[in-house]
Amino acid sequence: AALNAERLARKEAAELVGAKTGGVKPLLVCPLSKSHEKPAPLAELMRSQGCVGVRSALSDDTAEEVLAYINALSDQAKAEVTEGRVDFGARFGGVNCRGRGVFGARQDLWLPVEAVPVAKALREVASEERLGPLLRELVGPGALLHEVSCLVSDPGAPRQCVHADTIVLPSPQFPNASMEPLYTFFVALQDVEDDMGHTVFLPRTHTPRAHEIWNGPQRQKEMFISVNDATQSNLDLGDVAIFDSRLLHCGRENSSDKRRVLFYFTVSAQHDWPLPNGKHGSNSIRAEDRGKWTLRDFGLDEAVAEGDPASKSRRDVLAGVAAAMLGGARELAEPRAASAAAAPTAAAQLSVLELEAAKANIVDALVERQYYLTGDLPKELVAPGAHFIDPTTDVVGWEKYTSAVASLFDPAASKFDLLDAYVVPEQNAVFAEWRLEGEIRLPWGRARIQPYLGTTLYSIDEQGRIARQFEEWNISGAEAFLSCLPGWDRLGIGTPPAPPAEDILAARA
């Protein structure tokens, strides 16, 4: 079974993960300062995407202290198990694609919470100077520590199969069980070089629909992997990758000559896993620590009333999420390398009235002129050299863009609905949410593209014109293409079609 799992993992790496979405991209990583300034948008991004990174969650000194402790504990625990003084299951957890031998080259080594370096790390991570504001927003001070452990990947550790740590509840097998999200925090205890084995995540696969597809036939599962976006953690010392335990992910192989160690903990606002004996749950914690510790025990307290991030409106949250998701906004994100879709040089700060006027022009073009379907975007609304970017298009100039749109959709057989639009003054921008479905013209004939959701961030220049239009969809470009193929809808894979606009708006009312 272990050999088959390793073979499957190699196949996933070579043929499936990132295969139809442009390869594996870096995980979105937020500077620590932005997690303090904008914890609500970052928490919302975490909930929607299922994974995000934060720099410097742990100081270098504390990370190195924990690493030294783990290396010593690893030797001690292996000796205890080998000599028969404790059972393997009292010190180590089961792990996907461990490798050969009792301990293999990859171990899930459980850490005693009251050990000085472990408790110190938890207090530091939960502090206001580190992840306290985000933890408060995401789960609250009363959240239980469901796991406190570390992942050790020694040289030669094989790549893991794509997997989720917990199941979605309720589920077809357990329709009466429910569980609040469990969030796992992987903290790097050294700079993780490319050959040491980054963690790969498949964003947005922590949903009931994703797990329904994932638990289907193997061919369906493989297609699902190939059309989903893939990101990898790329962590430096003290950085953290945070993910929903239901998210599909895997550890890459360690082909280096160095040990990679991740300190990790898992928290949830819900204390009790609803299935008996921890079945399908997160269980990597020592018996003496199970059910015992909350974040409040490590110094996390309630939010102060004034300026409480939890009081942010939905619009504030969405603006922050847009800033993190859309490549040019850069309010939350700080990628390692400059994106090819970088935002234009900032214009002079526009007044809210000027931005509202730009928004009115954009809304008119979207709703009355339906320019997403017709290409009828008035030229006077667009700055010379404007940049238009979406998952399948990257063009400069009004003429190229409008010509491409006009030749793509059949407006009579298509539908565009604007769901919301508002100004983002700190970015000189207008943000729009929308839904689109329709019939497109392809070289071999016409095809129907499934309903999907999108957002657009419009960067506005000093004269109130569109300098940059940056779109993000809830489906990948590859999936948009595949949905046009005959019979795709009958396969039951990929992102489900977006609900009607009326239902979306009614749910928000």
Side-chain angles (χ1 to χ4, degrees), residues 82-141:
T82 300
E83 294 166 9
R85 287 182 280 148
V86 298
D87 292 335
F88 180 92
R91 294 291 181 266
F92 297 91
V95 66
N96 184 310
C97 294
R98 182 171 62 201
R100 311 293 184 274
V102 174
F103 303 105
R106 176 181 281 109
Q107 303 98 41
D108 180 15
L109 172 63
W110 300 346
L111 303 178
V113 172
E114 291 185 291
V116 172
V118 177
K120 178 181 178 180
L122 290 169
R123 282 194 301 272
E124 186 174 311
V125 167
S127 70
E128 294 302 301
E129 293 74 23
R130 300 292 172 173
L131 299 185
L134 176 60
L135 284 164
R136 184 182 296 110
E137 186 70 39
L138 199 58
V139 291

Side-chain angles (χ1 to χ4, degrees), residues 415-461:
K415 191 170 188 287
F416 174 91
D417 293 290
L418 182 64
L419 302 176
D420 199 3
Y422 53 89
V423 302
V424 188
E426 65 269 25
Q427 297 174 39
N428 272 0
V430 174
F431 183 74
E433 297 178 81
W434 45 266
R435 177 190 184 276
L436 191 151
E437 65 177 295
E439 193 167 283
I440 60 174
R441 305 179 182 101
L442 297 172
W444 56 85
R446 296 186 176 230
R448 189 86 189 167
I449 190 167
Q450 75 170 36
Y452 64 99
L453 301 176
T455 61
T456 306
L457 188 73
Y458 298 91
S459 299
I460 308 300
D461 74 0

Side-chain angles (χ1 to χ4, degrees), residues 31-65:
L32 182 63
S33 61
K34 296 302 181 185
S35 76
H36 297 162
E37 296 166 15
K38 296 180 177 290
L42 187 58
E44 189 67 21
L45 179 66
M46 177 67 235
R47 294 183 186 107
S48 66
Q49 297 297 293
C51 55
V52 73
V54 180
R55 300 268 183 235
S56 305
L58 203 60
S59 68
D60 290 0
D61 288 347
T62 302
E64 289 167 358
E65 184 179 344

